[in-house]
Amino acid sequence: MDLLRQHIETIIDQSSASWGIVIHRPATGQKLEINPVQAFPAASMIKVPIMVEIMRQTAAGIISLDDSLAVTSQVRVGGAGVLTELRPDLTMTVRELVTLMIIISDNTATNLLIDLAGMPAINAAITNLGLNSTSLKRRMMDFAAAQAGEENTTSAADMAALFELIRAKACLPPVYCDLMLDLLSRQQVRDKLPFYLPEEFKLAHKTGTLPGVEHDGGILFFPAGPCVVTVLAGNLAANYQGLQWIAQIGKVIYDYFSLTKLPKGE
């Protein structure tokens, strides 16, 4: 994938940002990596391993997706999501909270799920999955903790590995992997990797955003087979630039694997 690397490097060389990129085609073993193990602030990418641990506990019978949790005023936080705008006496099922956490990145839903699963259990799952650069150290919107150095982290290699485990149904029983893939495919934040792609093109992905940070990663389903992609950007001078660069990377990947605009030579 030398030509694809050249096109991606042309995009990222426009900036002084830090980049972590992994592109992997499981069927062929082809892999393109740029700073794969560099740790970045995870932003909302951390919600994927949180989802995996919720599903693991469900599979183990510890919790049920039909359990209900109260969305009290004490647990509501700002940032992404809608729960802060809804009625004060709201209750939601675990399934509904996981859905909101993934498809619109709701921070209140995420914190409820962190409390439900337990931060130690989530970090144990992360370790057991072999995600060496990933750690959950704080709840969403806890900026005091972040400023004190308690920042959630991940790497492009870790997220690509996790997406591949979900895709291959290798981390949990297939029914739960299928559910996670369905949630990721219903992602409503589409301003990065899929921005320039055809509306009908299928992908399952999760984004992340913090000041100076823009991420996107998941599985792109090409006719010739899936492609696992993770693009992490940090130290951005302006977030809107990161959005556009990742969108351009998404288009280059799409062109390389599905169109004739880029030759397929290695």
Side-chain angles (χ1 to χ4, degrees):
M1 292 191 281
D2 290 343
L3 184 59
L4 179 58
R5 177 184 291 272
Q6 292 172 20
H7 281 271
I8 289 174
E9 288 179 343
T10 297
I11 295 169
I12 66 177
D13 286 348
Q14 301 174 60
S15 77
S16 59
S18 302
W19 293 90
I21 299 173
V22 172
I23 302 168
H24 177 217
R25 297 190 71 195
T28 64
Q30 292 171 293
K31 186 174 286 189
L32 185 162
E33 297 180 320
I34 298 173
N35 302 322
V37 299
Q38 180 176 334
F40 288 77
S44 288
M45 301 294 277
I46 199 68
K47 295 169 183 177
V48 180
I50 294 170
M51 172 177 65
V52 172
E53 175 57 12
I54 290 290
M55 296 299 170
R56 187 199 70 79
Q57 292 191 20
T58 301
I62 299 169
I63 61 176
S64 168
L65 294 178
D66 296 321
D67 289 343
S68 292
L69 298 177
V71 187
T72 65
S73 58
Q74 288 78 17
V75 301
R76 300 186 189 214
V77 295
V82 299
L83 288 179
T84 55
E85 307 299 328
L86 302 183
R87 56 185 170 83
D89 57 344
L90 181 68
T91 61
M92 300 196 78
T93 66
V94 173
R95 185 189 302 273
E96 290 167 335
L97 292 169
V98 176
T99 300
L100 291 177
M101 177 177 71
I102 296 301
I103 72 171
I104 60 171
S105 210
D106 192 286
N107 288 323
T108 296
T110 304
N111 285 348
L112 281 163
L113 294 170
I114 290 172
D115 293 344
L116 176 66
M119 197 174 292
I122 295 167
N123 280 313
I126 287 168
T127 299
N128 291 336
L129 289 164
L131 310 181
N132 298 321
S133 299
T134 303
S135 180
L136 174 65
K137 296 182 179 179
R138 66 172 179 87
R139 299 163 89 247
M140 301 301 107
M141 305 303 289
D142 187 351
F143 294 120
Q147 291 172 1
E150 297 297 308
E151 183 57 274
N152 303 326
T153 59
T154 196
S155 68
D158 279 6
M159 291 308 304
L162 184 54
F163 287 125
E164 173 55 16
L165 286 169
I166 295 171
R167 184 205 69 82
K169 302 177 176 58
C171 58
L172 286 172
V175 63
Y176 296 102
C177 292
D178 287 340
L179 177 54
M180 291 189 288
L181 279 171
D182 176 64
L183 291 174
L184 291 165
S185 70
R186 290 156 57 193
Q187 174 62 245
Q188 295 185 16
V189 184
R190 297 176 59 87
D191 54 1
K192 284 173 255 191
L193 282 175
F195 187 76
Y196 291 117
L197 306 190
E199 190 68 29
E200 67 276 10
F201 182 77
K202 182 181 178 182
L203 70 163
H205 67 120
K206 182 73 189 76
T207 63
T209 298
L210 284 171
V213 171
E214 292 291 349
H215 304 326
D216 201 352
I219 306 131
L220 282 66
F221 293 96
F222 292 97
C227 185
V228 177
V229 176
T230 299
V231 181
L232 309 182
N235 300 311
L236 291 162
N239 278 63
Y240 76 87
Q241 293 176 321
L243 290 173
Q244 276 298 295
W245 287 324
I246 296 175
Q248 291 170 22
I249 290 170
K251 183 63 163 59
V252 165
I253 293 169
Y254 175 81
D255 286 351
Y256 185 85
F257 288 119
S258 67
L259 302 179
T260 58
K261 295 181 180 179
L262 295 178
K264 302 300 188 294
E266 293 299 310

